[in-house]
Amino acid sequence: MESSSSPTEAKVVFNERTATVGDVSLHYRIGGTGSPVVLIHGYAETSHMWGPVMPGLAKTHTVIVPDLRGAGSSDKPATGYDKKTMAQDIHGLVKSLGFDKVTIVGHDIGLMVAYAYAAQYPDKTDHVVLMDAFLPGIGNWKDMWLMRDLWHFHFYGDVPLALVAGRERIYFEHFWNDFAANPKHSVPEADRQIYAAAYAQPGGMRAGFEYFRNFEQDAADFQQFAQNKLTMPVRVISGEKSGGLFLIDQVRLVANDVQGQVIEGSGHWLLEETPEKVIPVLNEYVH
C-alpha cells in the first residue's frame, strides 16, 4: 500500500510495510531520503498522528513511522509492554532496515519508548525529541502518576476491559477532549474514528492498558538508565496547558544537552492543537 503527501507538499511516497522483530510483527510506513528519523506515537493514537509532519521531514530524511507493539496494525502480544522492551522492538526494526544511527522522536507513551531507546543505544542515537508526557521513575514523577485527573494510569484489568468493550470511542473522548486546551480544537473527527477503530481491534484495549500497567517497571528501568546521563542533544516540546515545564525539568535530570520549548496555548495534542507552532519547532529540532 502507498500513500502520498498532500498537494501542497512536494510529492513524497510512503510505503506501508511490516517487519518481524523478535516476537512481534510491526507495521510501519517509510518514505523520503537522507538520515533516518523514527517517529513514535502515543496512547489514544497510532502512527497516523504523524501525517502532518511526515512529508516535510521526508524532504531531507528517511522517515520511519511504526505502530508500537499493541497498537494500530502491529501485533498485540500478551506481554512486552514495558518501554525498555518496546524500545528494543524499534531498534530491531531500525536494524532490519539497514540503519545504524537514528534521530528518534516520541509523543506521550512514545516519548518513554524514545528515552528507553536512547538510554539503551546511546551510540546509535543522533538526537532525541520528547513531546509532552513524563518519564516514570525520574524526579517527582509520582506527582504526575498519582494525579486524580489521571485515573486512567490505574485503569486496567478484566473489569475495565469489560466496561470499555464496545465503548472505546466514549473512553477515548476523555483523552481527546479533557487533555486539550480547547476540546473543540483537538483531535479531528476523522482521526478519532480511525483511532477508536484501531483500539477496538481484538486485543487492542488490553494492549493499551498494558502501557500503563508497566509504569512501575518502567520507573525501575528508567532509574537505572538515569545513572548514565544521555550525552546526545535532547529536545523537549511541551504544551502550556498540559505538562508545562514538568517534562523539561525531568529531562535535565537524565541528559546533559537539553533544550525545551513550551508551546503557548496548546494542550497535550500538540500536532493537532497548534500545528503552526509545533511543526516549525519539530523541524528545527530534527537534524
Side-chain angles (χ1 to χ4, degrees), residues 37 51 54 85 99 101 119 129 131 140 156 158 216 223 231 260 272 276 280 287:
V37 177
M54 288 163 58
T85 297
F99 294 110
K101 217 169 183 183
V129 183
M131 299 173 61
N140 296 324
Y156 47 73
D158 291 342
E216 289 178 275
Q223 286 167 5
T231 58
E272 293 84 358
E276 73 286 352
H287 296 285

Side-chain angles (χ1 to χ4, degrees), residues 230-235 251 255-259:
L230 301 181
T231 58
M232 77 289 291
V234 182
R235 304 296 179 249
V251 174
N256 290 325
D257 182 355
V258 180
Q259 294 180 25

Side-chain angles (χ1 to χ4, degrees), residues 90-254:
I90 303 303
H91 183 246
L93 171 61
V94 168
K95 283 180 62 179
S96 76
L97 294 172
F99 294 110
D100 182 47
K101 217 169 183 183
V102 300
T103 288
I104 191 157
V105 181
H107 175 254
D108 187 73
I109 293 292
L111 82 77
M112 301 175 193
V113 179
Y115 170 66
Y117 189 105
Q120 291 179 92
Y121 311 106
D123 59 334
K124 306 296 183 184
T125 309
D126 266 327
H127 295 77
V128 182
V129 183
L130 307 178
M131 299 173 61
D132 207 83
F134 72 104
L135 295 173
I138 304 303
N140 296 324
W141 76 283
K142 289 187 177 180
D143 291 349
M144 191 74 71
W145 185 50
L146 297 177
M147 281 183 67
R148 182 192 62 189
D149 292 345
L150 302 184
W151 53 266
H152 59 277
F153 289 160
H154 314 277
F155 187 75
Y156 47 73
D158 291 342
V159 171
L161 280 172
L163 290 171
V164 172
R167 305 177 185 89
E168 294 84 5
R169 174 68 187 259
I170 296 171
Y171 167 76
F172 284 122
E173 290 289 334
H174 157 63
F175 298 87
W176 299 326
N177 293 339
D178 295 354
F179 292 3
N182 177 356
K184 297 181 184 293
H185 187 66
S186 178
V187 176
E189 171 61 24
D191 292 349
R192 293 181 184 215
Q193 294 180 22
I194 289 170
Y195 299 140
Y199 283 90
Q201 295 177 80
M205 288 307 310
R206 177 189 48 76
F209 288 168
E210 287 296 313
Y211 297 152
F212 303 134
R213 189 199 294 268
N214 279 272
F215 275 179
E216 289 178 275
Q217 179 60 54
D218 298 331
D221 290 337
F222 286 14
Q223 286 167 5
Q224 187 69 32
F225 291 155
Q227 294 182 22
N228 296 296
K229 280 194 167 187
L230 301 181
T231 58
M232 77 289 291
V234 182
R235 304 296 179 249
V236 182
I237 307 175
S238 187
E240 178 197 11
K241 306 298 185 180
S242 181
L245 293 170
F246 189 86
L247 179 62
I248 299 172
D249 292 338
Q250 274 195 311
V251 174
R252 290 194 171 117
L253 299 175
V254 302

